[in-house]
Amino acid sequence: RDLHSFPTRRSSDLPLACASDFRFDPVHSQVFFSISHQGYSQSMGRFAIKNGFFAFDKDDWTKSKVDATIDITSLDLGNAGWSDKVKSAYLDAGIYPTARFISKSVQKTGDKTGVVHGELSLLGRTQPVDLQITFNRSAADGYTMRYIAGFSADAKFKRSSFGSTRSAESIGDEVAVHIEVEGIRDGDAEKKANATETH
């Protein structure tokens, strides 16, 4: 490729020096979950992140925050019929098409690990949920030259805490969540996320 065809580096692509806002990259950001199916296996599925942002400061994690809206209608269990049934019968996606996680505080626990203390709104209820996070990397992407930060996260919660008790005899109560996200630095990420939530 001609060198002149590559994007020029912008100030927003420079290395992190303070808290910076990132918008979620929908291609490389997903929410995975597993739940017991009659004790035979851990049934697995995934959701897409619909909207949101996160802020991250390498030097002071307490300045970091996250606000993520999950698209419940995007549920994929590997079978279209089963996915549709779970969305309607167990997740009431027609009434509650999204879930939302908002951080309250962020605590650093290791060189690249931390805990995000926050609240999850699901099925019309809001409950505290903690994310165990790992900061993977932040750098300018070699192809686009956009500055990217990536994280992995895990959490567990009881579905009954959100009023989901259907088929308790066959479907487990504890839900294990694993999240992989990449964010693209965007100084307007929080503003855009808030604008989307209010429309």
Side-chain angles (χ1 to χ4, degrees):
R1 262 179 97 174
D2 180 15
L3 291 177
H4 295 291
S5 65
F6 284 99
T8 57
R9 174 171 279 195
R10 299 160 297 190
S11 60
S12 60
D13 295 320
L14 298 177
L16 291 170
C18 58
S20 299
D21 288 353
F22 295 81
R23 69 178 186 274
F24 290 109
D25 178 353
V27 176
H28 299 106
S29 300
Q30 297 185 77
V31 178
F32 302 88
F33 71 91
S34 63
I35 190 169
S36 175
H37 176 242
Q38 299 184 26
Y40 294 121
S41 66
Q42 290 292 314
S43 184
M44 304 182 72
R46 65 178 178 177
F47 295 100
I49 295 178
K50 181 178 181 179
N51 184 47
F53 80 100
F54 64 87
F56 181 61
D57 185 337
K58 274 186 177 180
D59 299 322
D60 186 354
W61 286 35
T62 64
K63 295 179 181 179
S64 303
K65 56 184 176 178
V66 59
D67 183 343
T69 298
I70 296 91
D71 182 4
I72 298 300
T73 67
S74 70
L75 174 66
D76 180 9
L77 291 165
N79 178 278
W82 181 231
S83 296
D84 288 341
K85 181 176 181 179
V86 171
K87 279 186 284 188
S88 61
Y90 293 90
L91 293 173
D92 291 330
I95 301 174
Y96 306 108
T98 62
R100 189 177 183 185
F101 178 83
I102 300 177
S103 65
K104 296 300 180 181
S105 63
V106 179
Q107 173 188 1
K108 188 175 184 181
T109 59
D111 184 42
K112 287 196 170 187
T113 60
V115 181
V116 178
H117 304 286
E119 292 183 340
L120 175 65
S121 297
L122 174 68
L123 291 169
R125 297 190 184 187
T126 299
Q127 296 290 336
V129 172
D130 289 345
L131 296 180
Q132 307 292 327
I133 63 169
T134 299
F135 168 51
N136 297 321
R137 185 188 182 208
S138 63
D141 182 88
Y143 295 97
T144 65
M145 295 309 295
R146 296 179 301 187
Y147 201 84
I148 295 173
F151 292 82
S152 301
D154 293 280
K156 290 183 179 180
F157 62 85
K158 294 184 182 298
R159 67 185 180 100
S160 59
S161 297
F162 296 90
S164 177
T165 57
R166 180 172 178 168
S167 304
E169 71 285 352
S170 59
I171 298 177
D173 190 20
E174 185 175 82
V175 181
V177 177
H178 179 73
I179 303 167
E180 293 290 336
V181 299
E182 291 184 19
I184 302 169
R185 177 178 279 178
D186 183 344
D188 294 324
E190 182 173 8
K191 180 178 178 181
K192 293 174 182 175
N194 290 335
T196 301
E197 288 295 335
T198 55
H199 285 79

